[in-house]
Amino acid sequence: MTDKTRLSADQLAHNFADLHPAYDRDEAVVEASRCLYCYDAPCTRACPTHIDVPRFIRQIQHDNPMGAAETIFAENIFGGSCARACPTEVLCEGACVDRTLLKEPVRIGRLQRYATDHAMENDLRFFEPGPDTGKRVAIIGAGPAGLACAHELRKAGHAVTVYEARDVPGGLNTLGIAAYKITTEFALQEVQPILEMGVDIRYDTPVDGVMLETLRRDYDAVFVGVGLGETARLGIEGEDLDGVWEALDFIFQTHTGSLSECRVGRNVVVIGAGNTAIDVATEAARLGAEQVTIVYRRTAHEMSAFAYEYELAKADAVQFLWQVQPLRFVGENGRLAGLALQRVQQNGNGRTATVTPLEGSDFDLPCDMAIKALGQTSLLDLLTNVDGLSVENGRLQIDAQTGATGAPGVFSGGDCLSKGAEIVDAVQEGKIAAAGINDYLS
Amino acid sequence: MKKPNLAAELCGIASPNPFWLASGPPTNSAYQVRRAFEAGWGGVVWKTLGHEPIVNVSSRYGAIDYDGRKVVGLNNIELITDRTLEENLREIREVKREFPDHAVVVSLMVESNREAWHDIVKQTEDTGCDGLELNFGCPHGMSERGMGSAVGQVPEYAKMITEWVKEVAQTPVLVKLTPNVTDVRRIGRAAAEGGADGLSLINTINSIMGVDLDTLHPQPHVAGRGSHGGYCGPAVKPIALNMVQEIAADPAISVPISGIGGIQAWQDAIEFMLLGAGNVQVCTAVMHYGFRIVEHLISGLEGWMREKSFAQLSDFVGHTVHAVGDWADLDLGYKVIAEIDQNTCIHCGLCYIACEDGAHQSIRKTEVPEAEFIAELEALSANGAPPKTAASTLQVSGGTRVLAGAGAGIVNRYEIKQESCVGCNLCSLVCPVNDCISMIEVPSSIPSMSWREYKDRLERGEVEPIEPPAHV
Ligand SMILES: Cc1cc2nc3c(=O)[nH]c(=O)nc-3n(C[C@H](O)[C@H](O)[C@H](O)COP(=O)(O)OP(=O)(O)OC[C@H]3O[C@@H](n4cnc5c(N)ncnc54)[C@H](O)[C@@H]3O)c2cc1C
Ligand SMILES: Cc1cc2nc3c(=O)[nH]c(=O)nc-3n(C[C@H](O)[C@H](O)[C@H](O)COP(=O)(O)O)c2cc1C
Ligand code: SF4
Ligand code: SF4
Ligand code: SF4
């Protein structure tokens, strides 16, 4: 069993403090005054949920944070989480015209947080359930996709029952996002207004193929928002050694218990270079690992981690070992002692480029903890026996305009459709499916 | 090139530069005036004196902020000096002795009584001051007692009191005008007829700064009650410029003008001078930032004069006065239309919505697929063309390409509909990028003529009626 963190509770609190502290009123108003109030604003188009950004920023500027919060939540009921965790660099802020004019975008995410915090701190509510339509919808998975869908359906007056495998709502938004971005308490608080809309939620209720059939019979429509499962196995020797971890298990511990109980090695190796790998490496460093190394088959150019995440990891003294691939985990007395690696050569550029191993380049990288952070696996087994569905490369196919799958009355959205995207995408897909279901039911 | 000469002279009062402090809080005491002269101010108009010190209220000032910028406009319900006449006169005498080359003008206001005016003029001039300024402008408090703007709003009174003062005054007399009138020229003419050697304008404008939305009190307030205060600061400049030009262009007025109202940058000061002011006075900007701003006024004026090869102030004072006149004399055959520089446009859409909702629906918005837009950028830079502004903001992160100004896969291209653009300037005013939208002169189908000429020619059957512009 890997040891617990050796850092004091104070040090941990410091290390996991907000990445970007909240603006106070004056900071928010000054930042808001940089916004040009664009028409058909690029930032709004670039936001997957199409929040009316110039409108909410102007509301902040004119001392109306309540109105700003309503503008945000009207399009994105996870607006508080998104404000903290969205990769704004490639979304709204990447599109902001102030990047051209002033070489610095308006800090839309932080302004969004200012407004949504105001609503949360004052316990404001903006929406009401619609008049009862007599229609009933079952939702599988209480992640951002499922709950955003539930919220829209309640606004339209449909009865909603959510089936959730875990004992908490919010999916990866509650358990998976780096704790210095979103705290568990915040995530749980943010879903309260959704649940208060009259969403009946059944925890500890994983849905399988058999139950799905029942749901399809008992409800007028079903939404599948099960997200993705644990990260993929490597299928190499020593994978079950004590000290070899799966990324989500490692991250979950920062949300399910106190930080002092978290386990972390002294010398940690992370396999993969996506955003999950960066989160894992950064969190390991902040939990007190003395050395953290990310190993990746390709070069920095090909990694899927966003540039600012990469910078964050480098600032946390995370080391990068490019163009190596794992051969086996090396054990000593049943515990992990190292990772055997092999250098590879990349043929061409880009993420489709292949790699060829370099003969005789094997070496051992000593470590007492190795965390696998490759892509997440599919959870769509429950759909195996549903007629009409089309699954390609482990991904469910839907109509992008309505979220409808090939099976009548079955809709879907969120990570289970993709390789894993962002909270904001899951919310938008939940909204689209709710509109699709609403049309289907009327 | 030699440094330009900034020395100024206004109706016989000399100062090392044209920058004076207007009568107000910054000129309240010898302590402040010394600091002001040491900082570089050319002259001061001492805070208005009366026979008896007045009693002020608290609070006294209100301000408007605009979208994050503080004190775009200021107002006050303060009265004239709250110090004794003796104290003020003693200090004026001292300061004048210490700064013989700087202009010390004293502002006066007493009840409308000939003896009272004679007395204060004599006592004041005994200090050795360089001139007097009659405050016919204060819009609050003093006017309720028959002084200030109560005098300045009635031509007969303004003339009469100016005459009283001129009966005894040995130094030049400026009359300070209130803008709270329908035609400032009538008061200006009356003062000139009464013998005024110069006119100062503008004093403050009647105003209520606002209402506090928590307490519902007017702003500023004294125990919950407000009064009509005087408005000044950057926001009033255009009003002041207009009045200065009207006075400067009036054939019946030939005395020099001291320009006041909203001056905070050197450009403001030059504009006043181009429109006829021989020097300028500043109050609010100093109340906001202190005496030190005069350094910027001086260096800005100097730099501009060098650039324009002006050696002294008289080379440009009044230059633009006669370029302003009646609308009926403007050329109907002059035509400009807007042109957007696609190279520097940042795709904010502000010109489009301004024209669409607020003007003449003459900007076209076209959705260009992002990929096509980027390909265009790349082709341009491959050909060695200067990169579009947008090209510099194309960035890649985690394999995702982002372009500022793009969103949902499209970039909006904005273009002027040349055939319907009426050349109103609105888009070029709202565009956040300097020089991105320019107004270019184009041939017009209308011959060069003023409206007056057009009316005559139309009557004589020499021209066809001008077609109204097309509207959507
Ligand atoms: C490590 C990590 C870090 C991330 N960081 C960010 C970030 O910084 N910013 C960002 O925007 N996004 C981030 N994401 C992505 C984000 O968390 C997801 O895109 C989002 O949570 C997807 O929402 P979802 O509702 O589709 O799925 P999930 O959040 O995964 O929710 C699915 C829910 O379905 C439940 N479920 C699964 N199977 C069943 C079943 N058979 N029956 C009943 N219930 C079931 C699950 O328990 C879960 O509650 C991160 C993801 C990971 C893995
Ligand atoms: C607080 C305050 C007090 C003023 N007191 C006087 C005064 O006593 N006499 C006077 O002639 N003008 C007075 N003024 C008017 C100024 O001299 C000046 O005409 C006006 O403020 C416009 O100039 P500005 O925009 O540079 O402030 C006062 C202005 C302010 C703000
Ligand atoms: S939800 Fe995310 S992408 Fe959308 S505006 Fe807010 S921070 Fe930006
Ligand atoms: S693009 Fe930037 S400046 Fe324009 S509305 Fe959005 S945040 Fe404001
Ligand atoms: S206002 Fe200027 S920058 Fe904005 S779209 Fe129009 S031309 Fe482009």
Side-chain angles (χ1 to χ4, degrees), chain B residues 379-430:
Chain B
L380 275 173
S381 57
N383 287 334
K388 285 197 177 203
T389 310
S392 61
T393 54
L394 185 62
Q395 73 183 22
V396 179
S397 175
T400 310
R401 255 200 323 190
V402 272
L403 180 68
I410 58 154
V411 177
N412 286 329
R413 175 174 292 148
Y414 297 100
E415 289 155 313
I416 304 296
K417 297 181 199 164
Q418 301 209 338
E419 59 294 351
S420 63
C421 169
V422 299
C424 72
N425 280 356
L426 183 65
C427 57
S428 72
L429 299 177
V430 302

Side-chain angles (χ1 to χ4, degrees), chain B residues 8 13 20 87 123 147 177 188 191 196 198 260 266 320 335 359 369-370 383 398 412 431 453:
Chain B
I13 307 172
W20 291 10
E87 209 177 354
Q123 287 202 56
M147 298 182 241
L177 302 179
I260 320 171
W266 58 271
T320 309
K335 186 175 180 194
E370 193 176 327
N383 287 334
N412 286 329
C431 177
E453 291 163 343

Side-chain angles (χ1 to χ4, degrees), chain A residues 85 140-145 163-166 171-173 176-177 181 205-207 225-227 248 251 276 279 376 379 414-415 421-423 426:
Chain A
I140 309 173
Y163 294 88
E164 167 55 52
R166 295 201 179 89
L172 285 186
N173 192 54
I177 312 291
K181 292 182 189 164
T205 314
V207 175
V226 292
L248 294 187
I251 293 172
T276 299
D279 278 1
Q376 290 170 267
L379 285 181
D415 270 5
E422 314 300 334
I423 306 161

Side-chain angles (χ1 to χ4, degrees), chain A residues 254-337:
Chain A
T254 64
H255 285 288
T256 49
S258 85
L259 290 171
S260 303
E261 296 298 313
C262 289
R263 297 187 177 267
V264 68
R266 286 176 187 272
N267 191 348
V268 178
V269 171
V270 179
I271 302 158
N275 292 307
T276 299
I278 298 272
D279 278 1
V280 164
T282 303
E283 286 171 56
R286 289 171 189 233
L287 283 171
E290 284 149 25
Q291 190 168 346
V292 182
T293 312
I294 284 186
V295 299
Y296 182 50
R297 284 193 306 157
R298 306 178 201 274
T299 70
H301 193 68
E302 277 79 25
M303 70 175 173
S304 59
F306 296 118
Y308 69 93
E309 297 278 12
Y310 181 36
E311 291 306 319
L312 185 66
K314 286 196 288 189
D316 276 343
V318 171
Q319 304 289 308
F320 288 80
L321 213 52
W322 307 112
Q323 297 189 287
V324 291
Q325 70 184 17
L327 293 176
R328 65 189 165 278
F329 296 99
V330 184
E332 235 176 60
N333 307 325
R335 287 190 70 160
L336 179 72

Side-chain angles (χ1 to χ4, degrees), chain A residues 42 45-46 90-91 94-95 99, chain B residues 366-378 393-395 400-413:
Chain A
R45 277 185 274 126
V90 295
L91 298 173
R99 237 164 36 77
Chain B
T366 319
E367 295 187 352
V368 182
E370 193 176 327
E372 190 180 303
F373 187 84
I374 292 175
E376 221 172 81
L377 290 182
E378 283 167 352
T393 54
L394 185 62
Q395 73 183 22
T400 310
R401 255 200 323 190
V402 272
L403 180 68
I410 58 154
V411 177
N412 286 329
R413 175 174 292 148

Side-chain angles (χ1 to χ4, degrees), chain A residues 201-222:
Chain A
I201 181 160
R202 313 272 167 86
Y203 294 110
D204 300 309
T205 314
V207 175
D208 57 13
V210 178
M211 186 169 170
L212 177 60
E213 277 318 301
T214 322
L215 295 181
R216 287 189 69 190
R217 246 181 285 117
D218 294 351
Y219 290 84
D220 299 298
V222 176

